[in-house]
């Protein structure tokens, strides 16, 4: 029996290698739609003891990179002659996503440049996030053929931005967390990535030129990868490619460096960005020195740790009875993060407040208990840079207008209890700030 198992294992491994070989050969023959460069920021390591300055300079590098990518990857609006691009900046988690959005809204972009900026992450009121995603799904469907007018240019909001600015260059910038990597069918002109794994680079690269076809290899990079992520700049030798990412405090899953220039073959990125490093590892495997190899090792360790028990272990599905229950999905969540609690932004007595639903379905005010404050209003200059100006009160009124015979405040209260859901982190010592434009975030 052991001999038969060993034979089947070898047969499977041979078949798998042949399949991967065919897949790699096919990827190598494809027209190159994505190339990447690394944005070097070694000098920021000197500001380790001044996190605010370090973060500001990091954000400034991202800002400058948006302009460089826009210059090479844009579409000319036939009506106005303006150069227009849609780009995404992927940050590792919510605090830097919000921080970068604020920085870009407040920054001086100079003459001839008009940015339109939007933050996109999971901690947003359900109604406003729905409006945001509906808008993005509409304008980022770029299935037009060469020479056709993009559907985005026909959208009322985009058209208003293009028709009411004097600048010749208009950048639509989505600042997003990894929510953009999963289940989003968006097509961008360019992308900037704060790295946390090779997988994240590949996933976000798949949002660049996702729908459009090209008849020859692109010439200049349309993706930029930051040399370090903010966590690596701040904390030195501790795990930096984690939460999200595969790095852990262990000998096999701990990188010797967090410098992307040392972890990834930059020359290969300049030639093409594709999934080859994640489906076929180099020989020998070097999980402490190459980012893709770290992920190969992490997956191998997860699948072949035959002594591990519990719902997170593959072997436990064979030796235990987890498959009889729905508990593994609850205990071992796909995207586990900090513990969260669900609140509702309820319209009460002429204002929106955060409430918690008790076991009887009653909504109890919790805004002060969870230390949530409303953000200060954006100044006029920052307000003008918003891509999509969201307003919770107006959105509730829009739902209420559909049933004009009833009292509008009663309707707004009803709809806010249905569509005002939002998740916030619990066991949190810092103040939380809420904004219709930025969602809920930690006060920094």
């Amino acid at each position: 029996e052991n001999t038969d198992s060993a034979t089947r294992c070898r047969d499977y491994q041979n078949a798998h290698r042949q399949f991967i070989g065919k897949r790699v050969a096919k990827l190598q023959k494809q027209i190159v739609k994505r190339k990447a460069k690394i944005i070097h920021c070694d000098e920021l390591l000197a500001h380790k003891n001044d996190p605010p300055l370090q973060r500001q300079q990091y954000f400034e590098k991202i800002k400058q990179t948006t302009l460089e990518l826009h210059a090479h990857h844009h579409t000319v609006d036939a009506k106005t002659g303006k150069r227009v691009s849609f780009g995404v900046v992927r940050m590792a988690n919510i605090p830097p996503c919000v921080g970068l959005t604020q920085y870009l809204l407040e920054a001086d972009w100079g003459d001839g440049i008009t940015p339109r900026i939007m933050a996109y992450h999971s901690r947003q009121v359900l109604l406003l996030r729905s409006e945001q995603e509906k808008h993005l799904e509409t304008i980022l469907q770029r299935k037009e053929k060469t020479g056709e007018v993009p559907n985005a240019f026909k959208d009322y909001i985009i058209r208003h931005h293009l028709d009411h600015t004097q600048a010749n260059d208009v950048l639509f910038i989505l600042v997003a967390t990894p929510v953009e990597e999963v289940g989003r069918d968006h097509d961008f002109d360019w992308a900037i990535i704060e790295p946390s794994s090779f997988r994240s680079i590949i996933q976000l690269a798949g949002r660049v030129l996702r729908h459009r076809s090209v008849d020859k290899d692109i010439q200049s990079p349309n993706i930029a990868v930051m040399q370090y992520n903010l966590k690596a700049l701040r904390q030195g030798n501790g795990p930096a490619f984690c939460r999200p990412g595969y790095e852990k405090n262990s000998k096999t899953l701990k990188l010797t460096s967090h410098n992307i220039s040392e972890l990834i073959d930059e020359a290969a990125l300049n030639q093409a960005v594709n999934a080859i490093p994640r489906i076929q590892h180099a020989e020998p495997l070097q999980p402490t020195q190459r980012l893709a190899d770290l992920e190969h090792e992490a997956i191998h360790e997860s699948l072949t740790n035959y002594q591990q028990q519990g719902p997170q272990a593959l072997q436990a599905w064979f030796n235990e009875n987890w498959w009889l229950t729905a508990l593994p999905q609850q205990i071992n969540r796909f995207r586990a993060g900090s513990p969260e609690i669900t609140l509702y932004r309820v319209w009460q007595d002429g204002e929106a407040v955060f409430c918690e639903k008790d076991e009887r379905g009653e909504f109890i005010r919790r805004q002060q208990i969870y230390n949530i404050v409303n953000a200060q209003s954006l100044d006029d200059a920052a307000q003008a840079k918003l891509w999509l100006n969201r307003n919770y009160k107006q959105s509730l009124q829009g739902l209420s207008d559909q049933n004009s015979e009833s009292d509008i405040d009663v309707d707004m209260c009803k709809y806010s209890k249905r569509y005002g859901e939002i998740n916030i982190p619990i066991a949190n010592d810092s103040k939380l700030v809420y904004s219709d434009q930025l969602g809920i975030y930690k006060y920094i």
Side-chain angles (χ1 to χ4, degrees):
E1 184 178 348
N2 290 336
T3 301
D4 290 342
S5 296
T7 300
R8 288 196 297 269
C9 182
R10 284 194 300 270
D11 289 345
Y12 171 79
Q13 290 174 339
N14 290 333
H16 182 263
R17 278 193 290 267
Q18 292 175 14
F19 172 80
I20 293 300
K22 292 178 181 178
R23 180 61 181 155
V24 167
K26 187 173 182 179
L27 287 172
Q28 291 172 333
K29 293 178 181 178
Q30 290 182 344
I31 292 176
V32 177
K33 297 171 66 174
R34 305 168 188 95
K35 294 181 179 180
K37 62 180 179 179
I38 294 175
I39 305 302
H40 294 269
C41 47
D42 285 298
E43 70 277 11
L44 301 188
L45 292 169
H47 302 302
K48 179 180 177 181
N49 296 325
D50 191 353
L53 176 61
Q54 188 183 63
R55 186 169 58 247
Q56 178 182 347
Q57 293 186 351
Y58 191 82
F59 291 165
E60 178 61 24
K61 278 192 171 288
I62 292 176
K63 171 177 167 282
Q64 293 302 322
T65 304
T66 67
L67 297 174
E68 294 172 15
L69 292 173
H70 165 81
H72 293 96
H73 304 282
H74 59 257
T75 303
V76 176
D77 175 30
K79 180 180 177 182
T80 63
K82 294 171 182 174
R83 296 180 290 270
V84 184
S85 71
F86 295 87
V88 58
V89 182
R90 181 266 193 203
M91 303 302 288
N93 37 56
I94 293 174
C97 170
V98 173
L100 175 61
T101 303
Q102 292 173 318
Y103 180 84
L104 298 179
L105 288 172
E106 296 167 1
D108 179 11
W109 289 76
D111 297 333
I113 305 292
T114 291
R116 292 293 180 259
I117 301 150
M118 184 189 335
Y120 178 38
H121 58 80
S122 60
R123 288 190 180 134
Q124 178 57 280
V125 172
L126 183 62
L127 177 59
L128 298 182
R129 183 173 173 183
S130 174
E131 291 179 356
Q132 176 184 36
E133 292 182 341
K134 182 178 180 181
H135 173 73
L136 292 173
E137 290 293 333
T138 299
I139 66 163
L140 295 175
Q141 294 294 312
R142 301 292 302 274
K143 297 180 181 179
E144 67 268 6
K145 297 179 181 178
T146 304
E148 289 184 345
V149 177
N151 288 328
F153 291 0
K154 303 172 187 177
D155 180 82
Y156 170 79
I157 293 172
I158 302 301
R159 192 73 261 159
H160 179 83
H161 287 309
L162 298 181
D163 293 341
H164 291 81
T165 178
Q166 300 301 315
N168 290 324
D169 289 276
V170 184
L171 291 75
F172 291 89
I173 304 171
L174 184 70
V175 184
T177 61
V179 296
E180 177 59 37
E181 300 170 9
V182 182
R184 302 272 74 84
D185 188 21
H186 298 160
D187 181 319
F188 293 94
D189 295 302
W190 49 264
I192 300 173
I193 303 171
E194 181 194 14
S196 21
S197 65
F198 204 98
R199 175 191 175 279
S200 70
I201 295 173
I202 295 169
Q203 287 288 341
L204 200 74
R207 272 65 184 164
V208 176
L209 293 180
R210 183 177 181 84
H211 302 145
R212 288 166 287 174
S213 299
V214 295
D215 54 9
K216 60 181 180 179
D217 294 353
I218 64 167
Q219 298 303 305
S220 63
N222 49 9
I223 297 169
V225 181
M226 302 303 290
Q227 183 184 10
Y228 294 93
N229 61 21
L230 277 170
K231 189 180 294 185
L233 288 174
R234 285 198 307 264
Q235 65 185 35
N237 295 326
F241 296 104
C242 56
R243 305 185 68 184
Y246 293 82
E247 191 179 18
K248 299 178 182 178
N249 272 317
S250 69
K251 293 181 179 179
T252 57
L253 299 179
K254 177 73 181 299
L255 294 163
T256 56
S257 168
H258 295 117
N259 182 347
I260 285 292
S261 297
E262 299 175 0
L263 298 174
I264 296 177
D265 184 352
E266 187 170 0
L269 287 182
N270 294 156
Q271 293 298 315
V273 179
N274 54 43
I276 291 176
R278 279 292 275 113
I279 62 176
Q280 184 182 65
H281 64 75
E283 295 290 352
L285 195 68
Q286 297 178 304
T288 62
Q289 299 177 44
R290 288 196 291 250
L291 189 59
D293 287 4
L294 170 77
E295 297 166 34
H296 283 291
E297 180 67 19
I299 294 171
H300 173 77
E301 184 178 285
S302 176
L303 296 179
T304 61
N305 186 351
Y306 301 122
Q307 307 306 316
Q308 190 177 9
Q309 296 179 334
Q312 74 281 4
L314 176 66
Q315 194 65 19
W317 287 74
F318 301 130
N319 299 336
E320 303 173 30
N321 295 316
W322 291 105
W323 58 274
L324 292 171
T325 76
L327 292 175
Q329 288 81 359
Q330 298 177 29
I331 299 173
N332 187 45
R333 295 191 177 277
F334 176 65
R335 291 186 63 84
S338 302
E340 295 183 337
I341 190 168
T342 300
L343 298 183
Y344 298 82
R345 190 154 175 78
V346 178
W347 188 262
Q348 292 182 348
D349 302 323
E351 64 175 344
V353 295
F354 286 102
C355 298
E356 187 175 3
K357 189 191 294 188
D358 64 18
E359 63 275 5
R360 295 179 297 177
E362 299 293 332
F363 289 83
I364 313 299
R365 286 195 180 211
R366 288 288 190 264
Q367 188 145 332
Q368 291 183 332
I369 291 177
Y370 290 110
N371 201 16
I372 304 172
V373 299
N374 293 323
Q376 293 183 348
S377 299
L378 296 172
D379 61 32
D380 292 342
Q383 192 81 18
K385 295 188 183 80
L386 289 174
W387 174 347
L388 183 66
N389 192 349
R390 287 165 285 171
N391 185 296
Y392 187 54
K393 179 180 178 180
Q394 291 180 5
S395 296
L396 290 174
Q397 288 174 337
L399 292 174
S400 301
D401 288 343
Q402 300 173 14
N403 185 13
S404 57
E405 293 183 0
S406 61
D407 183 276
I408 189 169
D409 280 337
V410 173
D411 267 0
M412 289 173 67
C413 179
K414 178 182 69 175
Y415 287 119
S416 67
K417 292 177 180 179
R418 184 180 302 171
Y419 303 119
E421 180 179 321
I422 188 171
N423 292 326
I424 70 165
I426 59 176
N428 177 59
D429 296 330
S430 60
K431 183 187 298 181
L432 295 174
V433 182
Y434 171 78
S435 162
D436 284 351
Q437 312 306 329
L438 302 173
I440 274 192
Y441 56 96
K442 293 181 181 179
Y443 179 78
I444 300 176

